[in-house]
Amino acid sequence: MAFYGFSRPWIGTLDITTGTYSNVARCSSGMSTSITPNFSSASLYADDRQKIKVDEFLNATVELGVDEVPISFANVLFGHTVTGGTEVSNADDRGSFVGYGFIAANMKETGKTYRACFLHKVQFNEGADNYTTKGETLTFNTPVLNATAFALENGVWRTKSPEFSTKADADAWIQEMFGVVQPVTPSIELDNDTASVNVGDTVTIAATTVPEDATVTWVSADTTIATVNDGVITGVAAGTTTITASIEVGEQVYNATCTVTVAGV
């Protein structure tokens, strides 16, 4: 894989008792990141050769380069006291455990894809603050945050997503890892947008709704041609009319229609 992009770092405070995350938000704009697993190794030698080698995961060294660290993250990441825009650093400050997710772009022969990475338990340390006087050449100094990633009680420390065709899908996957409930867009669809029926006969159309438990209201534009009851259409007289299925979610009405042609006998 040829990864060439890094974007959308997400941070969320980890409750180590419940394993849930809160205060989930994007942490500025990402510039770079690196993750280096660290292992404890032991070897067993016998008969003048190495017979067994065991590697156990200890933690991972993490670096995160961003364009800035918003002051709103100073308490979560570093334990600093933030009051009214003033940030105070104390010798005893310690950052909270957080989840950390980001997106990497991947170029393949078949095209560009996106893959997200999620570190379940991370503790950040404050990096160096660099300031340079302005000379003939402008130099941008951006923060690099250092962190350590730890394994959860079940041993999991990192999860990587499937490949996605869009960055939005990868972004949604990260939020799902944090337990963020995605807003549901209400909708209604009919299995057919046209239907035919003879006078005196019936034909049924079905509605699929989001949310699934939404109540569907059925209306015929001309009951002298066709009537409808819970999706069952009855032909009354030859002609054409429109059947409308509706749901109401949050005072907003969503519709789907079916054109019905009734043939005379």
Side-chain angles (χ1 to χ4, degrees):
M1 293 186 181
F3 291 108
Y4 69 97
F6 164 71
S7 62
R8 301 189 180 181
W10 285 83
I11 298 292
T13 305
L14 171 64
D15 185 324
I16 59 175
T17 302
T18 63
T20 58
Y21 299 91
S22 60
N23 304 316
V24 178
R26 287 267 303 278
C27 179
S28 194
S29 297
M31 300 182 67
S32 63
T33 195
S34 66
I35 303 166
T36 306
N38 301 311
F39 296 91
S40 175
S41 300
S43 299
L44 174 66
Y45 289 85
D47 293 334
D48 295 329
R49 64 187 179 89
Q50 185 182 32
K51 300 191 70 175
I52 300 174
K53 184 176 185 293
V54 176
D55 293 320
E56 289 192 357
F57 176 81
L58 291 176
N59 52 43
T61 302
V62 180
E63 287 189 354
L64 169 60
V66 292
D67 60 347
E68 64 174 339
V69 180
I71 192 171
S72 58
F73 282 87
N75 177 262
V76 173
L77 294 181
F78 314 126
H80 295 173
T81 301
V82 178
T83 305
T86 299
E87 179 183 346
V88 178
S89 304
N90 188 282
D92 295 325
D93 286 348
R94 295 291 182 274
S96 302
F97 287 112
V98 298
Y100 165 46
F102 62 88
I103 299 172
N106 179 30
M107 182 58 71
K108 306 171 71 173
E109 291 184 355
T110 54
K112 186 177 182 180
T113 61
Y114 299 91
R115 196 175 190 191
C117 179
F118 186 80
L119 304 184
H120 294 260
K121 183 180 179 182
V122 180
Q123 190 168 40
F124 279 88
N125 300 311
E126 197 166 10
D129 288 333
N130 297 310
Y131 307 96
T132 305
T133 187
K134 183 179 73 172
E136 294 182 0
T137 302
L138 293 178
T139 301
F140 289 100
N141 294 307
T142 55
V144 176
L145 309 182
N146 302 309
T148 303
F150 302 93
L152 300 174
E153 291 297 323
N154 60 5
V156 175
W157 67 277
R158 175 175 62 186
T159 302
K160 294 182 179 180
S161 77
E163 292 185 347
F164 297 104
S165 59
T166 68
K167 186 179 289 187
D169 288 338
D171 208 48
W173 181 89
I174 293 175
Q175 294 178 63
E176 289 177 5
M177 293 298 293
F178 276 115
V180 175
V181 178
Q182 297 296 322
V184 175
T185 301
S187 65
I188 180 169
E189 294 183 359
L190 300 179
D191 57 353
N192 286 294
D193 56 10
T194 61
S196 299
V197 63
N198 292 327
V199 172
D201 291 340
T202 62
V203 64
T204 301
I205 56 176
T208 301
T209 66
V210 177
E212 294 182 356
D213 60 351
T215 299
V216 181
T217 301
W218 299 86
V219 175
S220 172
D222 189 343
T223 56
T224 65
I225 294 176
T227 61
V228 62
N229 180 25
D230 198 23
V232 179
I233 303 168
T234 302
V236 177
T240 300
T241 188
T242 300
I243 301 298
T244 301
S246 305
I247 61 172
E248 183 174 351
V249 181
E251 298 184 357
Q252 179 70 41
V253 177
Y254 302 85
N255 299 315
T257 60
C258 175
T259 301
V260 177
T261 301
V262 181
V265 178

